[in-house]
Amino acid sequence: LSLACTQMKLAPEEALVAATANAAHVLDRADRVGRLQPGFAADVVLLDGADWRHVAYHLGGDVVHTVIEGGAVAFRRTA
C-alpha cells in the first residue's frame, strides 16, 4: 500500500482495492477471496492506528494488532 500511494500516487482506497479485490480478479479467484464477505475465505490483519490510511504512508513500526488466519487468531499483540 505504501509504495502504491507514495510512488504510484494512488489514493489509499485505490491501493487497498488493488491489493485485495483486483488482485483476486487477476488470480481468477474473485468468486471466493478478495473481499470481507460471508462465504469468502479471508486472512485478516487488524491494525492499531488512528486511521487506516496511516499504514499507506508509514512504513515500519508496530502497527499490527491481530492476525486472523483461516478463521482463527494466529497472532495478537499484547500490551
Side-chain angles (χ1 to χ4, degrees):
L1 294 181
S2 182
L3 288 174
C5 291
T6 60
Q7 303 303 309
M8 303 301 295
K9 307 302 183 206
L10 269 67
E13 298 86 347
E14 294 170 316
L16 182 61
V17 171
T20 56
N22 290 355
H25 279 281
V26 168
L27 297 172
D28 198 26
R29 296 181 180 178
D31 60 329
R32 60 188 179 275
V33 299
R35 293 178 279 167
L36 293 178
Q37 179 176 323
F40 277 48
D43 296 334
V44 180
V45 177
L46 302 175
L47 305 173
D48 184 11
D51 188 301
W52 72 272
R53 292 168 288 224
H54 173 87
V55 172
Y57 298 105
H58 296 85
L59 278 172
D62 190 14
V63 297
V64 175
H65 183 276
T66 305
V67 176
I68 301 171
E69 190 174 359
V73 175
F75 168 81
R76 179 171 285 137
R77 185 177 71 209
T78 56

